[in-house]
Amino acid sequence: MKKVVGTFLLALISWHTGVAQSDQKMNRFIDQLMAKMTVEEKIGQLNLVTGGEATTGTTVSTDVESKIRNGQIGGIFSMSTPSKIRKTQEIAIKQSRLKIPIIFGMDVIHGYRTVFPIPLGLAATWDMGLIQQSARIAAEEATADGINWAFSPMVDISRDPRWGRISEGAGEDTYLTSKVAEAIVYGFQGDNLAAHNTMMACVKHFALYGAAEGGRDYNSTDMSLHRMYNEYLPSYKAAIDAGAGSIMTSFNDINGVPASANKWLLTDLLRDQWGFKGLVVTDYTAVNELTAHGLGDLQHVSSLSLNAGVDMDMVGEGFLTTLKKSLDEGKVNLEAINRACRYVLEAKYKLGLFEDPYRYCNEQRAESIIGSVANHAKAREVAAKSFVLLKNANQLLPLKKSGTVAVIGPLANSGPNMPGTWSVSAELDKTSSLVDGMKAVLGNKVNMITHLGSNLLEDSTYQKHATMFGRTIPRDLRKEEEIIAEAVKVAQQADVVVAALGESSEMSGESSSRSELDIPKNQQNLLKALLATGKPVVLVLFTGRPLTLTWEDAHVPAILNVWFGGTETGKAVADVLFGDVVPSGKITATFPRNVGQIPIYYAHKNTGRPYGNSGDFEKFKSNYLDVSNDPLYPFGYGLSYTTFSYGDIHLDNDILENNGSIHASIDITNTGNYDAEETVQLYIQDLVGSVTRPVKELKGFQKIFLKKGERKTVKFEIRVDDLKFFDSALNYVVEPGDFNVYIGPNSRDVKVKAFKLL
Ligand code: BGC
């Protein structure tokens, strides 16, 4: 044992020495380079411009080539292909004075050319290995296409499904989002950032962007430090601790100071408390937007932003155009410019760009890797595992591979909508629609007939806004009743109806907040008409967020939530509907009964007047007159074609000594007729504290596979660290006392056992 420890120590010391040596080498290199740079060239490195392939804001970058020549650009994003990137890099290397390579970024959010499910769907797999693989594949493809910096993971916790960008993250939970963040960072960065197939991750949007008031995008956030530290900040920290090389500031105002000018956030917390050593970049024109926030003119806000701790300015060129003047006028100092420049150069150094600026440009690799058969197969597997079976009355699903199936609805025949929001590198014209994907899997075993059913939205202006960026859905100019009547005739010819309804991909994502979260009314009318035919109806629901499905849950026999499944959506839906894959996804954001329940999340506080769950309104208790407190579908919920029975929790000790650990185990049996996966979830409640504590917090989960009839014991370790939280003085503490451990298939249907921390 001693020898092992000794060897380990030696290895650790030599690893540290290695790291220190490579840091020293990097520092020397950058010192020498910076000694040659003019102030203008240093400021030039802080300028990040767009190559214009994807539009994520109203400002576009101009004169890019001449700025590169003049040393006025440090990075470019939204540009792709080895040839284009090589050509651009050549300008920097051959025509600029100091030949400093450019870093190339892109929003690689859920896949690159091969698109995986939207992040909210990815999280619903609860499979960190798969999520990591999806990021790895995205990195393989993007780096082969010349890109070395991914603007991902997005780890903003959101408890407000009105906010369209809830689709881009892992949902409402701090613990789960932190795990997903780590998986994505590892997937992108691997263990050598300088390798030709790894890329730098960028954690975003720092911070609290998901808590925008009213769910309206870009809106202010105002939050206690206590809540920030316990609930909203840990996911950013987890991504940083996993080694993320960069972080993006958010658009929003935080307790009165917008993130991109917030010194407390970007320096005191991020650098000084968390020890972050990577690059800080703003979001799109976020520096300029500080003027609209009310902080002053462009010169002033640019100096505020640099002084707060921002290193790189995305698109707005406030840094480029004003920092020299601010330096001359003493509004910023050279140390701040040097600091920012150093972080940009370090990122390039770590990516190996000084060694070989063309490392990421390899046509052959691009040719063989991007969109490969293997990548598509993985995308199909992940998509099927992201789907969540919300209801399956009388085991309507899986369907038989025979007879006539009518696939009806505005999402049935739209390939461009399948990749989902924030898939800027998807080949929309080459993505199969739901119907085509299903046909490819089912061949002529099933006679498939189809119809638009209804428009996406009755209001054509709303539909226009909801189908931007090429995500078209054909529009039928007739009255909705006429379209529906025709669709009903199609349904009448079928044995079963698949209603492909919900949101278009651009109804979620950036700048896509909604105040109503139902399936649009005209689509609901279609659904009612389809149900009235008496045919069995399966609702295949497309959505980028939790919707309010109270009526659908009461009336539709089967609901499969497929989010936006990416490139292979159609095939994956066929896999699940027809039973080749048993659904196992579970939602990671609570589905409310109505919009008035929002914010609704499982890890809420108890209040001083908790509702007793009588099912009825309780006067003078914390509840509503017109709706119950319960969500429609709780966090962690999702059905399978099989059933699982959970035994009681067994604790190996009901006393946890400080610094020790105990184990909770539970028997789970597959009691149904299908081999299937199940995600077993462990929650903890701290019953007495110096501050109020959530009624439950996820602290562990395991995904297991059980053959029909099989039983497995699942064992969790509970460590003192799992019980820690930030107290009112923001000390990270653990307080002795009584706790409950809950284990179950979701956050609601749990078994419980008590233990004590000494
Ligand atoms: C978004 C970011 C994105 C950036 C660059 C912004 O509008 O908020 O998430 O990374 O654009 O495309």
Side-chain angles (χ1 to χ4, degrees), residues 54-57 77-78 106-107 109 151-152 154 165 168 204-205 209 218 248 251 282-284 314 422 510:
T55 330
T56 55
F77 71 102
S78 279
M106 181 67 91
D107 286 283
I109 313 291
F151 296 154
S152 171
M154 188 281 219
R165 302 197 80 170
E168 287 175 55
K204 66 189 193 186
H205 306 82
Y209 186 31
Y218 318 122
M248 186 186 292
F251 289 124
T282 67
D283 204 341
Y284 207 106
M314 191 193 286
W422 273 114
E510 186 168 353

Side-chain angles (χ1 to χ4, degrees), residues 35-208:
K36 290 185 226 152
M37 294 172 81
T38 63
V39 172
E40 286 82 356
E41 281 166 334
K42 289 176 181 170
I43 293 172
Q45 285 303 306
L46 318 187
N47 192 27
L48 174 64
V49 301
T50 168
E53 282 179 14
T55 330
T56 55
T58 46
T59 312
V60 287
S61 304
T62 53
D63 302 325
V64 171
E65 292 195 3
S66 63
K67 282 181 188 151
I68 299 175
R69 257 178 232 118
N70 297 334
Q72 291 177 311
I73 284 179
I76 301 181
F77 71 102
S78 279
M79 180 183 279
S80 64
T81 74
S83 57
K84 211 160 153 190
I85 289 184
R86 180 184 292 276
K87 229 179 95 209
T88 310
Q89 189 71 295
E90 271 172 2
I91 303 175
I93 301 301
K94 295 185 180 160
Q95 300 179 36
S96 75
R97 191 179 80 90
L98 289 173
K99 310 178 189 332
I100 299 174
I102 288 170
I103 187 171
F104 288 92
M106 181 67 91
D107 286 283
V108 183
I109 313 291
H110 49 110
Y112 181 66
R113 203 80 81 217
T114 306
V115 184
F116 290 87
I118 57 164
L120 194 59
L122 275 176
T125 65
W126 293 67
D127 189 328
M128 300 307 120
L130 268 193
I131 292 174
Q132 185 170 333
Q133 279 177 51
S134 73
R136 181 86 295 276
I137 289 172
E140 291 276 355
E141 291 196 352
T143 54
D145 225 11
I147 297 154
N148 39 47
W149 187 17
F151 296 154
S152 171
M154 188 281 219
V155 302
D156 303 324
I157 302 293
S158 182
R159 291 160 177 190
D160 193 334
R162 290 172 298 183
W163 190 55
R165 302 197 80 170
I166 195 172
S167 58
E168 287 175 55
E172 73 184 44
D173 188 59
T174 312
Y175 178 85
L176 185 71
T177 303
S178 302
K179 294 287 167 208
V180 172
E182 289 165 7
I184 295 178
V185 171
Y186 297 146
F188 282 135
Q189 298 196 164
D191 45 26
N192 175 16
L193 209 47
H196 68 281
N197 61 351
T198 57
M199 63 200 305
M200 185 167 75
C202 184
V203 191
K204 66 189 193 186
H205 306 82
F206 194 56
L208 321 181

Side-chain angles (χ1 to χ4, degrees), residues 391 501 517-521 523-525 527-528 531 539 541 547-559 593 632-633:
K391 184 178 175 192
L501 309 180
L517 295 179
D518 46 6
I519 295 177
K521 288 281 169 320
Q523 294 191 44
Q524 266 183 17
N525 290 340
L527 188 57
K528 286 176 189 164
L531 288 164
L539 170 57
L541 179 72
L547 294 180
T548 51
L549 302 169
T550 309
W551 187 90
E552 290 77 4
D553 183 69
H555 296 94
V556 185
I559 308 176
R593 288 177 190 277
L632 184 63
Y633 305 123

Side-chain angles (χ1 to χ4, degrees), residues 74 104 110 140 144 182 235 334 380 439 494 514 567 620 659:
F104 288 92
H110 49 110
E140 291 276 355
E182 289 165 7
S235 49
L334 192 57
R380 179 171 169 181
K439 276 186 182 158
R514 294 182 63 194
T567 310
F620 304 122
N659 286 329

